[in-house]
Amino acid sequence: MTKQEPGQQKTLKGIAASPGIIIGKAHLVDRSKVKILYQYLIDERELEKEVERFREALRITEDQLIKVKNQMPDQVKEHAFILDSHLMILKDRKVTDYTIDRILDEKINAEWALKKSIEEIKEIFEQIDDDYISSRINDVELVADRILRNLSESYQSLSEIDERVIIVAHDLSPADTTELNISKVMGFITDVGGKTSHTAIMAQALEIPAVVGLETATAEVEEGDLLIVDGNTGQVIINPEERAIIEYEEKQLRFERYRWSVTRASHLPAVTKDGHRVAIRANIEFLEEVTAVKDVGGEGIGLYRTEFLYLRSKELPSEEELFEDYKEVAEIIYPAPVTIRTLDLGGDKFASDLDIVREINPALGLRAIRFCLREPGIFRTQLRAILRASAFGSVKLMFPMISGVQEVLDAKEVLEEVKKELDREKVDYDRNMDVGIMIEVPSAVAMSEMLARHVDFFSIGTNDLIQYALAIDRINEHVAYMYQPFHPAILRMIQQVVEAARGAGISVALCGEMAGDPLCIAILLGLGIDELSMNARSIPFVKRIVRSLSFEEARRDLEKVIELSTARDVRTYITQRMTDLVPELEEKEYLEDWVAEGQIAEQ
Ligand code: PEP
Ligand code: MG
């Protein structure tokens, strides 16, 4: 990849992940494969310290590998030998002693010295005329990556960035995102990622503009380059000319002004012109967001993603910590309800420090409820905390990633045991607490009629449902163009779930990103969704749209929409309808912003 001339303007197009426009300086970080960005000489007097830094990284790496090995779930235990081989590599003199010698002899930093050792080992392996042995070099690289990560951890944590910068990274994990010092970091752009990746969702929660899936951002941007990041359209301009800066400053102002005019009316209820009411709630990731939800007129919390307390700390959170957090959320939002979702770790949400075994295909792996049922200790602690918090507000409990009736029965059995435990201890909780499930796996759609008999509510998670139903990795930028909420298969699945809920007399919410997309609202109303739960920022926009629509019209429209056979036809139809029904959408600029804010693929 050739870099552009210094100072020359260049535009990249990525995927709008979190709205807003920022203009600022680039700061490159690498959180994926740890590149040796830092090659530097070490002062004679600092050499011992550098060696100690390397030794400490080796110790941490060893501890991590042992922990991963000990916590391997039964079904993968037979592969424990891989970790043994990694531990052996870690102890190999070519990795350890040789690197230390290099640091001392060549007076270079540990990362650089290790990289040189690995290069040497690679050369030796390449000469071996045995496919199996030469392919083992991957293991050596994996171990080296881990050591480098542990070295770089001591080098720079994202939380230490204390300049007003725009982060440019190949990738950021949701855990990295939580580390960002948001009073300093203006926003971020990444090479990889899709619209509904958890990293994108985190950026929205933190209210920092972000563009993902740019593919070449880290290759094209230099440290300190001036950037314009348009989180509404996915455009990133490197080294913008004066004209572009002025244009974007104006755009920024217009957008903020418009956002403000919408927000002013956000406390009015979401009632259609013909009197149909739909609950508008928020998805949150942190306790700190609850006040903002109230400020923008959110009528409760439809999804509290509880993973992030687990991602934030090195240790598992205690029951007391969880209880305090949930209790506070329940109390602040009361009398409105909060739906607390049990742990949904796995997929693209990894608690690296919990050392959950990395899987080749994590989205289909030991994720969410599967993980909890396999780790009853972790699960029970969380259930106890949620139940105890239920005594302090209006709390609902929700299980993620349910794929069939058995999982609901199993999860409810654990819940019942925990309730009995609390009864014995005479601890108070809400005995009528609603228990629901997320419908986000296609098998749950097929089973929705039966599932509805076992729960108090459904919440449709379209982020995952689209991923699993259309076989589109939600975090893969190469297939992002196929991620289509308007795909007729998705609309029909939602319809089937709503009918199942109606038949059993339970309520049905939708909490995927689709719920916050203005273009989707008429369809979701027509489908009969009772509650829409979205990122807090979208609430004022969505409420405004609901108030401009008629429920009867939306139902009639749906009859037409459901007969269309491609996502493109649905999109064309609905864009036309929405611009007719909500005149301000006719202002193309706003429509573009809104469309970009939401999750609609351009197809
Ligand atoms: C979903 O899958 O739609 C959802 C809301 O859950 P998450 O995005 O946390 O997977
Ligand atoms: Mg999900």
Side-chain angles (χ1 to χ4, degrees), residues 301-306 326-327 329-330 338-342 382 385-386 389-390 395-399 457:
I301 291 159
L303 168 64
Y304 183 11
R305 293 186 169 99
T306 57
Y326 303 158
K327 172 173 172 270
V329 173
V338 49
T339 300
I340 305 182
R341 181 177 72 182
T342 59
Q382 187 181 32
I386 297 173
S390 70
V395 173
K396 304 179 194 203
L397 181 135
M398 175 158 78
F399 298 120
F457 64 92

PDB file of all heavy atoms in Angstrom, residues 301-306 326-327 329-330 338-342 382 385-386 389-390 395-399 457:
ATOM      1  N   ILE A 301     -35.682   0.837  30.372  1.00  0.00           N
ATOM      2  CA  ILE A 301     -34.541   0.202  29.705  1.00  0.00           C
ATOM      3  C   ILE A 301     -34.983  -1.159  29.201  1.00  0.00           C
ATOM      4  O   ILE A 301     -35.384  -2.032  29.983  1.00  0.00           O
ATOM      5  CB  ILE A 301     -33.357   0.113  30.687  1.00  0.00           C
ATOM      6  CG1 ILE A 301     -32.854   1.538  30.929  1.00  0.00           C
ATOM      7  CG2 ILE A 301     -32.240  -0.754  30.135  1.00  0.00           C
ATOM      8  CD1 ILE A 301     -32.074   1.700  32.160  1.00  0.00           C
ATOM      9  N   GLY A 302     -34.978  -1.297  27.900  1.00  0.00           N
ATOM     10  CA  GLY A 302     -35.466  -2.541  27.302  1.00  0.00           C
ATOM     11  C   GLY A 302     -34.396  -3.607  27.220  1.00  0.00           C
ATOM     12  O   GLY A 302     -34.688  -4.780  26.999  1.00  0.00           O
ATOM     13  N   LEU A 303     -33.141  -3.170  27.361  1.00  0.00           N
ATOM     14  CA  LEU A 303     -32.041  -4.144  27.312  1.00  0.00           C
ATOM     15  C   LEU A 303     -30.855  -3.575  28.075  1.00  0.00           C
ATOM     16  O   LEU A 303     -30.272  -2.563  27.672  1.00  0.00           O
ATOM     17  CB  LEU A 303     -31.629  -4.408  25.850  1.00  0.00           C
ATOM     18  CG  LEU A 303     -30.307  -5.172  25.648  1.00  0.00           C
ATOM     19  CD1 LEU A 303     -30.391  -6.590  26.210  1.00  0.00           C
ATOM     20  CD2 LEU A 303     -29.944  -5.247  24.154  1.00  0.00           C
ATOM     21  N   TYR A 304     -30.545  -4.223  29.188  1.00  0.00           N
ATOM     22  CA  TYR A 304     -29.307  -3.877  29.880  1.00  0.00           C
ATOM     23  C   TYR A 304     -28.322  -4.995  29.556  1.00  0.00           C
ATOM     24  O   TYR A 304     -28.471  -6.115  29.997  1.00  0.00           O
ATOM     25  CB  TYR A 304     -29.559  -3.737  31.383  1.00  0.00           C
ATOM     26  CG  TYR A 304     -28.323  -3.312  32.183  1.00  0.00           C
ATOM     27  CD1 TYR A 304     -27.169  -2.857  31.547  1.00  0.00           C
ATOM     28  CD2 TYR A 304     -28.321  -3.351  33.561  1.00  0.00           C
ATOM     29  CE1 TYR A 304     -26.046  -2.463  32.262  1.00  0.00           C
ATOM     30  CE2 TYR A 304     -27.195  -2.961  34.295  1.00  0.00           C
ATOM     31  CZ  TYR A 304     -26.062  -2.525  33.637  1.00  0.00           C
ATOM     32  OH  TYR A 304     -24.946  -2.153  34.340  1.00  0.00           O
ATOM     33  N   ARG A 305     -27.331  -4.651  28.710  1.00  0.00           N
ATOM     34  CA  ARG A 305     -26.302  -5.638  28.347  1.00  0.00           C
ATOM     35  C   ARG A 305     -25.314  -5.700  29.505  1.00  0.00           C
ATOM     36  O   ARG A 305     -24.572  -4.743  29.727  1.00  0.00           O
ATOM     37  CB  ARG A 305     -25.551  -5.201  27.092  1.00  0.00           C
ATOM     38  CG  ARG A 305     -26.370  -5.197  25.824  1.00  0.00           C
ATOM     39  CD  ARG A 305     -25.465  -4.891  24.631  1.00  0.00           C
ATOM     40  NE  ARG A 305     -26.109  -5.116  23.366  1.00  0.00           N
ATOM     41  CZ  ARG A 305     -26.654  -4.153  22.618  1.00  0.00           C
ATOM     42  NH1 ARG A 305     -26.627  -2.900  23.019  1.00  0.00           N
ATOM     43  NH2 ARG A 305     -27.213  -4.459  21.463  1.00  0.00           N
ATOM     44  N   THR A 306     -25.306  -6.801  30.204  1.00  0.00           N
ATOM     45  CA  THR A 306     -24.539  -6.837  31.458  1.00  0.00           C
ATOM     46  C   THR A 306     -23.098  -7.281  31.291  1.00  0.00           C
ATOM     47  O   THR A 306     -22.365  -7.364  32.267  1.00  0.00           O
ATOM     48  CB  THR A 306     -25.232  -7.769  32.463  1.00  0.00           C
ATOM     49  OG1 THR A 306     -25.352  -9.066  31.854  1.00  0.00           O
ATOM     50  CG2 THR A 306     -26.583  -7.251  32.854  1.00  0.00           C
ATOM     51  N   TYR A 326     -26.988  -3.196  39.574  1.00  0.00           N
ATOM     52  CA  TYR A 326     -28.354  -3.429  39.079  1.00  0.00           C
ATOM     53  C   TYR A 326     -29.379  -2.655  39.914  1.00  0.00           C
ATOM     54  O   TYR A 326     -30.348  -2.114  39.389  1.00  0.00           O
ATOM     55  CB  TYR A 326     -28.704  -4.920  39.114  1.00  0.00           C
ATOM     56  CG  TYR A 326     -27.752  -5.813  38.335  1.00  0.00           C
ATOM     57  CD1 TYR A 326     -27.649  -7.177  38.627  1.00  0.00           C
ATOM     58  CD2 TYR A 326     -26.957  -5.313  37.308  1.00  0.00           C
ATOM     59  CE1 TYR A 326     -26.777  -8.000  37.919  1.00  0.00           C
ATOM     60  CE2 TYR A 326     -26.083  -6.119  36.608  1.00  0.00           C
ATOM     61  CZ  TYR A 326     -25.994  -7.461  36.924  1.00  0.00           C
ATOM     62  OH  TYR A 326     -25.136  -8.268  36.242  1.00  0.00           O
ATOM     63  N   LYS A 327     -29.133  -2.632  41.217  1.00  0.00           N
ATOM     64  CA  LYS A 327     -30.061  -1.930  42.123  1.00  0.00           C
ATOM     65  C   LYS A 327     -30.119  -0.449  41.746  1.00  0.00           C
ATOM     66  O   LYS A 327     -31.184   0.139  41.647  1.00  0.00           O
ATOM     67  CB  LYS A 327     -29.565  -2.106  43.557  1.00  0.00           C
ATOM     68  CG  LYS A 327     -30.285  -1.288  44.599  1.00  0.00           C
ATOM     69  CD  LYS A 327     -29.776  -1.711  45.984  1.00  0.00           C
ATOM     70  CE  LYS A 327     -30.284  -0.822  47.084  1.00  0.00           C
ATOM     71  NZ  LYS A 327     -29.439   0.313  47.388  1.00  0.00           N
ATOM     72  N   VAL A 329     -29.425   0.954  38.876  1.00  0.00           N
ATOM     73  CA  VAL A 329     -30.124   1.137  37.593  1.00  0.00           C
ATOM     74  C   VAL A 329     -31.627   1.073  37.836  1.00  0.00           C
ATOM     75  O   VAL A 329     -32.397   1.933  37.387  1.00  0.00           O
ATOM     76  CB  VAL A 329     -29.713   0.045  36.573  1.00  0.00           C
ATOM     77  CG1 VAL A 329     -30.568   0.135  35.318  1.00  0.00           C
ATOM     78  CG2 VAL A 329     -28.232   0.172  36.214  1.00  0.00           C
ATOM     79  N   ALA A 330     -32.063   0.052  38.588  1.00  0.00           N
ATOM     80  CA  ALA A 330     -33.497  -0.142  38.835  1.00  0.00           C
ATOM     81  C   ALA A 330     -34.082   1.050  39.578  1.00  0.00           C
ATOM     82  O   ALA A 330     -35.185   1.517  39.262  1.00  0.00           O
ATOM     83  CB  ALA A 330     -33.717  -1.427  39.630  1.00  0.00           C
ATOM     84  N   VAL A 338     -36.679  -1.992  33.956  1.00  0.00           N
ATOM     85  CA  VAL A 338     -35.406  -2.313  33.313  1.00  0.00           C
ATOM     86  C   VAL A 338     -35.374  -3.814  33.061  1.00  0.00           C
ATOM     87  O   VAL A 338     -35.693  -4.608  33.946  1.00  0.00           O
ATOM     88  CB  VAL A 338     -34.182  -1.879  34.156  1.00  0.00           C
ATOM     89  CG1 VAL A 338     -34.266  -2.337  35.606  1.00  0.00           C
ATOM     90  CG2 VAL A 338     -32.881  -2.435  33.544  1.00  0.00           C
ATOM     91  N   THR A 339     -35.029  -4.174  31.824  1.00  0.00           N
ATOM     92  CA  THR A 339     -34.887  -5.591  31.488  1.00  0.00           C
ATOM     93  C   THR A 339     -33.403  -5.928  31.543  1.00  0.00           C
ATOM     94  O   THR A 339     -32.616  -5.422  30.737  1.00  0.00           O
ATOM     95  CB  THR A 339     -35.435  -5.862  30.071  1.00  0.00           C
ATOM     96  OG1 THR A 339     -36.815  -5.485  30.057  1.00  0.00           O
ATOM     97  CG2 THR A 339     -35.317  -7.330  29.704  1.00  0.00           C
ATOM     98  N   ILE A 340     -33.041  -6.737  32.531  1.00  0.00           N
ATOM     99  CA  ILE A 340     -31.620  -7.087  32.675  1.00  0.00           C
ATOM    100  C   ILE A 340     -31.367  -8.411  31.959  1.00  0.00           C
ATOM    101  O   ILE A 340     -32.014  -9.417  32.240  1.00  0.00           O
ATOM    102  CB  ILE A 340     -31.220  -7.217  34.161  1.00  0.00           C
ATOM    103  CG1 ILE A 340     -31.587  -5.929  34.915  1.00  0.00           C
ATOM    104  CG2 ILE A 340     -29.729  -7.525  34.289  1.00  0.00           C
ATOM    105  CD1 ILE A 340     -31.184  -5.926  36.383  1.00  0.00           C
ATOM    106  N   ARG A 341     -30.462  -8.367  31.017  1.00  0.00           N
ATOM    107  CA  ARG A 341     -30.144  -9.592  30.277  1.00  0.00           C
ATOM    108  C   ARG A 341     -28.974 -10.305  30.947  1.00  0.00           C
ATOM    109  O   ARG A 341     -27.978  -9.663  31.287  1.00  0.00           O
ATOM    110  CB  ARG A 341     -29.771  -9.238  28.837  1.00  0.00           C
ATOM    111  CG  ARG A 341     -29.449 -10.466  28.012  1.00  0.00           C
ATOM    112  CD  ARG A 341     -29.151 -10.109  26.586  1.00  0.00           C
ATOM    113  NE  ARG A 341     -27.859  -9.453  26.440  1.00  0.00           N
ATOM    114  CZ  ARG A 341     -27.394  -9.005  25.287  1.00  0.00           C
ATOM    115  NH1 ARG A 341     -28.120  -9.126  24.189  1.00  0.00           N
ATOM    116  NH2 ARG A 341     -26.215  -8.429  25.215  1.00  0.00           N
ATOM    117  N   THR A 342     -29.117 -11.598  31.122  1.00  0.00           N
ATOM    118  CA  THR A 342     -28.008 -12.327  31.740  1.00  0.00           C
ATOM    119  C   THR A 342     -26.833 -12.354  30.761  1.00  0.00           C
ATOM    120  O   THR A 342     -26.983 -12.088  29.563  1.00  0.00           O
ATOM    121  CB  THR A 342     -28.427 -13.750  32.149  1.00  0.00           C
ATOM    122  OG1 THR A 342     -28.872 -14.447  30.995  1.00  0.00           O
ATOM    123  CG2 THR A 342     -29.524 -13.723  33.194  1.00  0.00           C
ATOM    124  N   GLN A 382     -24.834 -14.140  39.178  1.00  0.00           N
ATOM    125  CA  GLN A 382     -25.530 -13.050  38.498  1.00  0.00           C
ATOM    126  C   GLN A 382     -27.041 -13.097  38.782  1.00  0.00           C
ATOM    127  O   GLN A 382     -27.667 -12.067  39.029  1.00  0.00           O
ATOM    128  CB  GLN A 382     -25.278 -13.090  36.980  1.00  0.00           C
ATOM    129  CG  GLN A 382     -25.861 -11.847  36.335  1.00  0.00           C
ATOM    130  CD  GLN A 382     -25.709 -11.781  34.834  1.00  0.00           C
ATOM    131  OE1 GLN A 382     -25.711 -12.805  34.166  1.00  0.00           O
ATOM    132  NE2 GLN A 382     -25.590 -10.576  34.308  1.00  0.00           N
ATOM    133  N   ALA A 385     -27.819 -11.664  42.092  1.00  0.00           N
ATOM    134  CA  ALA A 385     -27.724 -10.205  42.086  1.00  0.00           C
ATOM    135  C   ALA A 385     -28.950  -9.576  41.430  1.00  0.00           C
ATOM    136  O   ALA A 385     -29.508  -8.585  41.925  1.00  0.00           O
ATOM    137  CB  ALA A 385     -26.449  -9.773  41.369  1.00  0.00           C
ATOM    138  N   ILE A 386     -29.407 -10.167  40.327  1.00  0.00           N
ATOM    139  CA  ILE A 386     -30.577  -9.602  39.625  1.00  0.00           C
ATOM    140  C   ILE A 386     -31.829  -9.737  40.502  1.00  0.00           C
ATOM    141  O   ILE A 386     -32.610  -8.799  40.660  1.00  0.00           O
ATOM    142  CB  ILE A 386     -30.796 -10.294  38.257  1.00  0.00           C
ATOM    143  CG1 ILE A 386     -29.588 -10.047  37.341  1.00  0.00           C
ATOM    144  CG2 ILE A 386     -32.084  -9.793  37.596  1.00  0.00           C
ATOM    145  CD1 ILE A 386     -29.614 -10.819  36.022  1.00  0.00           C
ATOM    146  N   ALA A 389     -31.820  -7.287  43.261  1.00  0.00           N
ATOM    147  CA  ALA A 389     -32.090  -5.924  42.773  1.00  0.00           C
ATOM    148  C   ALA A 389     -33.573  -5.743  42.455  1.00  0.00           C
ATOM    149  O   ALA A 389     -34.104  -4.627  42.517  1.00  0.00           O
ATOM    150  CB  ALA A 389     -31.254  -5.635  41.536  1.00  0.00           C
ATOM    151  N   SER A 390     -34.256  -6.854  42.130  1.00  0.00           N
ATOM    152  CA  SER A 390     -35.667  -6.750  41.728  1.00  0.00           C
ATOM    153  C   SER A 390     -36.538  -6.214  42.863  1.00  0.00           C
ATOM    154  O   SER A 390     -37.642  -5.745  42.635  1.00  0.00           O
ATOM    155  CB  SER A 390     -36.196  -8.102  41.236  1.00  0.00           C
ATOM    156  OG  SER A 390     -36.316  -9.004  42.323  1.00  0.00           O
ATOM    157  N   VAL A 395     -37.989  -4.753  37.766  1.00  0.00           N
ATOM    158  CA  VAL A 395     -36.924  -5.471  37.059  1.00  0.00           C
ATOM    159  C   VAL A 395     -37.500  -6.668  36.310  1.00  0.00           C
ATOM    160  O   VAL A 395     -38.346  -7.398  36.827  1.00  0.00           O
ATOM    161  CB  VAL A 395     -35.846  -5.963  38.064  1.00  0.00           C
ATOM    162  CG1 VAL A 395     -34.817  -6.856  37.379  1.00  0.00           C
ATOM    163  CG2 VAL A 395     -35.163  -4.782  38.736  1.00  0.00           C
ATOM    164  N   LYS A 396     -37.068  -6.841  35.057  1.00  0.00           N
ATOM    165  CA  LYS A 396     -37.405  -8.046  34.296  1.00  0.00           C
ATOM    166  C   LYS A 396     -36.098  -8.748  33.991  1.00  0.00           C
ATOM    167  O   LYS A 396     -35.064  -8.091  33.853  1.00  0.00           O
ATOM    168  CB  LYS A 396     -38.086  -7.694  32.981  1.00  0.00           C
ATOM    169  CG  LYS A 396     -39.314  -6.838  33.130  1.00  0.00           C
ATOM    170  CD  LYS A 396     -39.866  -6.553  31.754  1.00  0.00           C
ATOM    171  CE  LYS A 396     -40.888  -5.429  31.814  1.00  0.00           C
ATOM    172  NZ  LYS A 396     -41.806  -5.467  30.700  1.00  0.00           N
ATOM    173  N   LEU A 397     -36.181 -10.030  33.824  1.00  0.00           N
ATOM    174  CA  LEU A 397     -34.956 -10.792  33.557  1.00  0.00           C
ATOM    175  C   LEU A 397     -35.068 -11.443  32.183  1.00  0.00           C
ATOM    176  O   LEU A 397     -36.150 -11.898  31.786  1.00  0.00           O
ATOM    177  CB  LEU A 397     -34.795 -11.854  34.639  1.00  0.00           C
ATOM    178  CG  LEU A 397     -33.568 -12.747  34.543  1.00  0.00           C
ATOM    179  CD1 LEU A 397     -32.942 -12.872  35.925  1.00  0.00           C
ATOM    180  CD2 LEU A 397     -33.916 -14.128  34.060  1.00  0.00           C
ATOM    181  N   MET A 398     -33.960 -11.459  31.463  1.00  0.00           N
ATOM    182  CA  MET A 398     -34.028 -11.993  30.098  1.00  0.00           C
ATOM    183  C   MET A 398     -32.812 -12.867  29.801  1.00  0.00           C
ATOM    184  O   MET A 398     -31.681 -12.515  30.125  1.00  0.00           O
ATOM    185  CB  MET A 398     -34.073 -10.809  29.139  1.00  0.00           C
ATOM    186  CG  MET A 398     -34.016 -11.176  27.679  1.00  0.00           C
ATOM    187  SD  MET A 398     -34.706  -9.871  26.680  1.00  0.00           S
ATOM    188  CE  MET A 398     -33.365  -8.695  26.658  1.00  0.00           C
ATOM    189  N   PHE A 399     -33.068 -14.028  29.175  1.00  0.00           N
ATOM    190  CA  PHE A 399     -31.978 -14.924  28.798  1.00  0.00           C
ATOM    191  C   PHE A 399     -31.637 -14.724  27.317  1.00  0.00           C
ATOM    192  O   PHE A 399     -32.531 -14.715  26.471  1.00  0.00           O
ATOM    193  CB  PHE A 399     -32.381 -16.390  29.012  1.00  0.00           C
ATOM    194  CG  PHE A 399     -32.695 -16.730  30.448  1.00  0.00           C
ATOM    195  CD1 PHE A 399     -33.948 -17.203  30.809  1.00  0.00           C
ATOM    196  CD2 PHE A 399     -31.738 -16.574  31.442  1.00  0.00           C
ATOM    197  CE1 PHE A 399     -34.242 -17.522  32.133  1.00  0.00           C
ATOM    198  CE2 PHE A 399     -32.015 -16.887  32.767  1.00  0.00           C
ATOM    199  CZ  PHE A 399     -33.273 -17.358  33.115  1.00  0.00           C
ATOM    200  N   PHE A 457     -42.280 -12.811  28.227  1.00  0.00           N
ATOM    201  CA  PHE A 457     -42.142 -11.898  27.075  1.00  0.00           C
ATOM    202  C   PHE A 457     -41.029 -12.378  26.147  1.00  0.00           C
ATOM    203  O   PHE A 457     -40.167 -13.174  26.547  1.00  0.00           O
ATOM    204  CB  PHE A 457     -41.853 -10.452  27.529  1.00  0.00           C
ATOM    205  CG  PHE A 457     -40.541 -10.272  28.238  1.00  0.00           C
ATOM    206  CD1 PHE A 457     -39.384  -9.924  27.541  1.00  0.00           C
ATOM    207  CD2 PHE A 457     -40.445 -10.445  29.612  1.00  0.00           C
ATOM    208  CE1 PHE A 457     -38.171  -9.749  28.207  1.00  0.00           C
ATOM    209  CE2 PHE A 457     -39.238 -10.276  30.283  1.00  0.00           C
ATOM    210  CZ  PHE A 457     -38.093  -9.931  29.571  1.00  0.00           C
TER     211      PHE A 457
END
